[in-house]
Amino acid sequence: MSSFSNSSERLLLEQCEAIIEEGLQTLEKVERALAIIEQMRLYKDSFETFESYSAKRWDMNMKLPHLCKIHTNNLNKLQ
């Protein structure tokens, strides 16, 4: 690990890392929720597909749910 030129850089790094840690925890919760909705087909009363549910309900294309699956798979491999 490299040395910091001043304490403000160290503090900034710590703040950024805390934000990242919090975001990763939130992402994992989102991933789990999306997986449950998809696997149990909880969207079926209002939408024909998970893709249409994701697009219309959350205004997201399939990139985010797909990235969540990749992230979850990678986490599972590490455990």
Side-chain angles (χ1 to χ4, degrees):
M1 184 181 269
S2 63
S3 62
F4 293 91
S5 60
N6 59 52
S7 61
S8 63
E9 286 180 354
R10 179 176 296 282
L11 179 60
L12 182 57
L13 174 63
E14 291 170 359
Q15 291 170 339
C16 290
E17 288 177 341
I19 291 167
I20 293 167
E21 180 66 33
E22 183 179 320
L24 289 174
Q25 290 172 6
T26 299
L27 179 59
E28 289 175 18
K29 291 176 186 178
V30 170
E31 291 169 350
R32 286 189 208 112
L34 286 170
I36 290 168
I37 291 168
E38 181 179 24
Q39 291 167 1
M40 296 184 69
R41 298 187 61 219
L42 299 175
Y43 55 83
K44 66 184 179 235
D45 286 344
S46 301
F47 299 93
E48 289 187 27
T49 66
F50 179 72
E51 291 79 11
S52 64
Y53 163 76
S54 297
K56 292 180 180 148
R57 175 64 175 95
W58 301 110
D59 192 30
M60 64 174 85
N61 59 29
M62 285 313 297
K63 288 181 184 175
L64 180 59
H66 179 70
L67 291 174
C68 287
K69 285 182 186 180
I70 291 171
H71 182 255
T72 300
N73 289 339
N74 288 339
L75 285 176
N76 290 337
K77 288 177 186 176
L78 293 174
Q79 295 175 354

